[in-house]
Amino acid sequence: DDFRGWAGFRGMFKGFPMQNANVMLLAQFMMNVVTLNLSESIVPLPFSTSSSLDKLCEVGIKGDLIEVDAAHDLHSAWDDINRAYRLLSPNGIMFGHDYFNGQDDFGVKRAIDLFAKIHGFGIRTTKEHWILDVYG
């Protein structure tokens, strides 16, 4: 996560701390991590999804559980899903949200559906979330 929020963030979460016109999401995230004593387990990567995924791939890190929080357009979602899948460990689980949104046939849903079809995977959905079923 780049921790910048999205275009409608400020309108939905009024009163969220700001500094130098930036939403303080990373600071809040880190405070939560420290409060829960998880600083040895969680490493934030405050960069774009593509940059973070490329770097993780470059250094050979695999994930057992990967959430893809893609942009809503087809090309961004497709790119993020394919990059994330390269990092998935053999028995790992990949999931995300925004499966059902205003761009159903042109965004995340279309990218996930196409990815699953090409690879022969199933898809499980719950409300707006999707889970890639690599076992069928």
Side-chain angles (χ1 to χ4, degrees):
D1 197 323
D2 63 13
F3 294 94
R4 293 180 298 171
W6 62 95
F9 180 85
R10 290 181 185 168
M12 291 178 67
F13 297 94
K14 296 193 185 307
F16 206 90
M18 306 247 327
Q19 183 177 19
N20 300 323
N22 288 317
V23 180
M24 298 299 294
L25 292 174
L26 180 57
Q28 180 64 57
F29 177 81
M30 291 308 302
M31 193 178 342
N32 294 346
V33 168
V34 170
T35 299
L36 294 171
N37 198 27
L38 295 171
S39 56
E40 296 296 319
S41 305
I42 296 174
V43 178
L45 300 173
F47 308 105
S48 70
T49 303
S50 57
S51 296
S52 297
L53 291 171
D54 285 349
K55 184 50 82 175
L56 291 170
C57 189
E58 183 181 309
V59 297
I61 292 178
K62 295 285 185 181
D64 295 328
L65 183 66
I66 298 176
E67 178 187 13
V68 179
D69 186 7
H72 292 184
D73 65 284
L74 171 65
H75 296 291
S76 296
W78 178 257
D79 191 46
D80 290 350
I81 292 161
N82 278 276
R83 282 184 162 133
Y85 184 70
R86 294 186 314 188
L87 302 174
L88 192 63
S89 61
N91 294 315
I93 297 170
M94 192 164 83
F95 69 102
H97 63 85
D98 301 324
Y99 186 79
F100 298 111
N101 63 55
Q103 298 184 7
D104 284 351
D105 293 327
F106 305 101
V108 176
K109 182 180 185 306
R110 184 171 180 190
I112 289 294
D113 290 349
L114 181 58
F115 184 85
K117 183 177 181 178
I118 288 170
H119 293 281
F121 299 149
I123 306 165
R124 289 182 272 157
T125 61
T126 59
K127 296 190 181 183
E128 66 178 50
H129 293 86
W130 57 267
I131 302 170
L132 192 62
D133 187 355
V134 297
Y135 307 106

